[in-house]
CSV table of all heavy atoms in Angstrom, one decimal:
chain,number,residue,atom,x,y,z
A,127,ALA,N,97.4,95.3,93.5
A,127,ALA,CA,96.3,94.9,92.6
A,127,ALA,C,95.4,93.9,93.2
A,127,ALA,O,94.2,93.9,93.2
A,127,ALA,CB,96.8,94.5,91.2
A,128,ARG,N,96.1,92.9,93.8
A,128,ARG,CA,95.3,91.8,94.5
A,128,ARG,C,94.5,92.3,95.7
A,128,ARG,O,93.4,91.8,95.9
A,128,ARG,CB,96.3,90.7,94.9
A,128,ARG,CG,97.0,89.9,93.8
A,128,ARG,CD,98.0,89.0,94.4
A,128,ARG,NE,98.5,88.1,93.3
A,128,ARG,CZ,99.8,88.0,93.0
A,128,ARG,NH1,100.7,88.8,93.6
A,128,ARG,NH2,100.2,87.2,92.0
A,129,LEU,N,95.0,93.3,96.3
A,129,LEU,CA,94.3,93.8,97.5
A,129,LEU,C,93.1,94.7,97.1
A,129,LEU,O,92.2,94.9,97.9
A,129,LEU,CB,95.3,94.6,98.4
A,129,LEU,CG,94.8,95.1,99.7
A,129,LEU,CD1,94.6,93.9,100.7
A,129,LEU,CD2,95.8,96.1,100.4
A,130,GLY,N,93.2,95.3,95.9
A,130,GLY,CA,92.1,96.2,95.5
A,130,GLY,C,92.5,97.2,94.5
A,130,GLY,O,91.7,97.9,93.9
A,131,GLY,N,93.8,97.4,94.4
A,131,GLY,CA,94.3,98.3,93.4
A,131,GLY,C,94.6,99.8,93.8
A,131,GLY,O,95.3,100.5,93.1
A,132,GLY,N,94.0,100.2,94.9
A,132,GLY,CA,94.2,101.6,95.3
A,132,GLY,C,93.7,102.6,94.2
A,132,GLY,O,94.2,103.8,94.2
A,133,LYS,N,92.9,102.2,93.3
A,133,LYS,CA,92.3,103.1,92.2
A,133,LYS,C,93.4,103.6,91.3
A,133,LYS,O,93.3,104.7,90.7
A,133,LYS,CB,91.5,104.2,92.8
A,133,LYS,CG,90.3,103.8,93.6
A,133,LYS,CD,89.5,104.9,94.1
A,133,LYS,CE,88.2,104.5,94.9
A,133,LYS,NZ,87.4,105.6,95.4
A,134,VAL,N,94.6,102.9,91.2
A,134,VAL,CA,95.6,103.2,90.2
A,134,VAL,C,95.2,102.7,88.9
A,134,VAL,O,94.5,101.6,88.8
A,134,VAL,CB,97.0,102.8,90.6
A,134,VAL,CG1,97.4,103.3,92.0
A,134,VAL,CG2,97.1,101.2,90.6
A,135,ARG,N,95.6,103.3,87.8
A,135,ARG,CA,95.2,102.9,86.5
A,135,ARG,C,95.8,101.6,86.0
A,135,ARG,O,95.3,100.9,85.2
A,135,ARG,CB,95.5,104.1,85.5
A,135,ARG,CG,94.7,105.3,85.7
A,135,ARG,CD,93.2,105.1,85.3
A,135,ARG,NE,92.4,106.3,85.4
A,135,ARG,CZ,92.2,107.1,84.3
A,135,ARG,NH1,92.7,106.8,83.1
A,135,ARG,NH2,91.4,108.2,84.5
A,136,GLY,N,97.1,101.4,86.4
A,136,GLY,CA,97.8,100.3,85.9
A,136,GLY,C,99.0,99.9,86.8
A,136,GLY,O,99.5,100.7,87.6
A,137,ILE,N,99.4,98.6,86.7
A,137,ILE,CA,100.5,98.1,87.5
A,137,ILE,C,101.4,97.3,86.6
A,137,ILE,O,100.9,96.5,85.7
A,137,ILE,CB,99.9,97.2,88.6
A,137,ILE,CG1,99.4,98.2,89.8
A,137,ILE,CG2,101.0,96.3,89.1
A,137,ILE,CD1,98.7,97.5,90.9
A,138,VAL,N,102.7,97.5,86.7
A,138,VAL,CA,103.7,96.8,85.9
A,138,VAL,C,104.6,96.1,86.8
A,138,VAL,O,105.1,96.6,87.8
A,138,VAL,CB,104.5,97.8,85.0
A,138,VAL,CG1,105.5,97.1,84.2
A,138,VAL,CG2,103.5,98.7,84.1
A,139,SER,N,104.9,94.8,86.4
A,139,SER,CA,105.9,94.0,87.1
A,139,SER,C,107.0,93.6,86.1
A,139,SER,O,106.7,93.1,85.1
A,139,SER,CB,105.2,92.8,87.7
A,139,SER,OG,106.2,91.8,88.1
A,140,LEU,N,108.2,93.9,86.5
A,140,LEU,CA,109.4,93.5,85.7
A,140,LEU,C,110.2,92.5,86.5
A,140,LEU,O,110.6,92.8,87.7
A,140,LEU,CB,110.2,94.7,85.3
A,140,LEU,CG,109.5,95.6,84.4
A,140,LEU,CD1,109.1,96.9,85.1
A,140,LEU,CD2,110.4,96.0,83.2
A,141,HIS,N,110.5,91.3,86.0
A,141,HIS,CA,111.1,90.2,86.6
A,141,HIS,C,110.7,90.1,88.1
A,141,HIS,O,111.5,90.0,89.0
A,141,HIS,CB,112.7,90.2,86.5
A,141,HIS,CG,113.3,91.6,86.6
A,141,HIS,ND1,113.7,92.1,87.8
A,141,HIS,CD2,113.7,92.5,85.7
A,141,HIS,CE1,114.3,93.2,87.6
A,141,HIS,NE2,114.3,93.5,86.3
A,142,GLY,N,109.4,90.2,88.3
A,142,GLY,CA,108.8,90.2,89.6
A,142,GLY,C,108.5,88.7,90.1
A,142,GLY,O,108.5,87.8,89.3
A,143,LEU,N,108.3,88.6,91.4
A,143,LEU,CA,107.9,87.3,92.0
A,143,LEU,C,106.4,87.3,91.7
A,143,LEU,O,105.7,88.2,92.1
A,143,LEU,CB,108.2,87.3,93.4
A,143,LEU,CG,109.7,87.6,93.8
A,143,LEU,CD1,109.9,87.5,95.3
A,143,LEU,CD2,110.6,86.7,93.0
A,144,LEU,N,105.9,86.2,91.2
A,144,LEU,CA,104.5,86.1,90.7
A,144,LEU,C,103.6,85.4,91.6
A,144,LEU,O,102.4,85.5,91.4
A,144,LEU,CB,104.5,85.5,89.3
A,144,LEU,CG,105.3,86.3,88.2
A,144,LEU,CD1,105.2,85.5,86.9
A,144,LEU,CD2,104.9,87.7,88.0
A,145,GLY,N,104.1,84.6,92.5
A,145,GLY,CA,103.2,83.8,93.3
A,145,GLY,C,102.3,84.6,94.2
A,145,GLY,O,102.7,85.6,94.8
A,146,SER,N,101.1,84.2,94.4
A,146,SER,CA,100.1,84.9,95.2
A,146,SER,C,100.1,84.3,96.6
A,146,SER,O,101.0,83.5,97.0
A,146,SER,CB,98.7,84.8,94.6
A,146,SER,OG,97.8,85.6,95.3
A,147,ASP,N,99.2,84.8,97.4
A,147,ASP,CA,99.0,84.3,98.8
A,147,ASP,C,97.6,84.3,99.1
A,147,ASP,O,96.8,85.2,98.7
A,147,ASP,CB,99.8,85.4,99.7
A,147,ASP,CG,99.8,84.9,101.2
A,147,ASP,OD1,98.9,85.2,101.9
A,147,ASP,OD2,100.8,84.3,101.5
A,148,PRO,N,97.1,83.3,99.9
A,148,PRO,CA,95.7,83.2,100.2
A,148,PRO,C,95.1,84.5,100.9
A,148,PRO,O,93.9,84.8,100.7
A,148,PRO,CB,95.6,82.0,101.2
A,148,PRO,CG,96.8,81.2,100.9
A,148,PRO,CD,97.9,82.2,100.5
A,149,SER,N,95.9,85.2,101.6
A,149,SER,CA,95.5,86.4,102.3
A,149,SER,C,95.0,87.5,101.3
A,149,SER,O,94.4,88.5,101.7
A,149,SER,CB,96.5,87.0,103.2
A,149,SER,OG,97.7,87.4,102.5
A,150,LEU,N,95.5,87.3,100.0
A,150,LEU,CA,95.2,88.4,99.0
A,150,LEU,C,94.1,88.0,98.0
A,150,LEU,O,93.9,88.7,97.0
A,150,LEU,CB,96.5,88.7,98.3
A,150,LEU,CG,97.5,89.5,99.1
A,150,LEU,CD1,98.9,89.4,98.4
A,150,LEU,CD2,97.1,90.9,99.4
A,151,SER,N,93.5,86.8,98.3
A,151,SER,CA,92.4,86.4,97.4
A,151,SER,C,91.2,87.3,97.7
A,151,SER,O,91.0,87.8,98.8
A,151,SER,CB,92.0,85.0,97.6
A,151,SER,OG,91.6,84.7,98.9
A,152,GLY,N,90.4,87.6,96.6
A,152,GLY,CA,89.2,88.5,96.9
A,152,GLY,C,88.4,88.7,95.6
A,152,GLY,O,88.3,87.9,94.8
A,153,ASP,N,88.0,90.0,95.5
A,153,ASP,CA,87.2,90.4,94.4
A,153,ASP,C,87.9,90.5,93.1
A,153,ASP,O,89.1,90.3,93.0
A,153,ASP,CB,86.5,91.8,94.7
A,153,ASP,CG,85.7,91.7,96.0
A,153,ASP,OD1,85.1,90.7,96.3
A,153,ASP,OD2,85.6,92.8,96.6
A,154,ASP,N,87.2,90.8,92.0
A,154,ASP,CA,87.8,91.0,90.7
A,154,ASP,C,88.8,92.1,90.8
A,154,ASP,O,88.7,93.1,91.5
A,154,ASP,CB,86.7,91.3,89.7
A,154,ASP,CG,85.7,90.2,89.4
A,154,ASP,OD1,85.9,89.1,89.9
A,154,ASP,OD2,84.6,90.5,88.8
Side-chain angles (χ1 to χ4, degrees):
R128 292 175 171 119
L129 188 68
K133 296 182 180 179
V134 302
R135 293 290 186 95
I137 283 172
V138 180
S139 167
L140 295 104
H141 41 87
L143 308 180
L144 301 179
S146 188
D147 186 272
S149 64
L150 292 165
S151 61
D153 298 332
D154 294 348

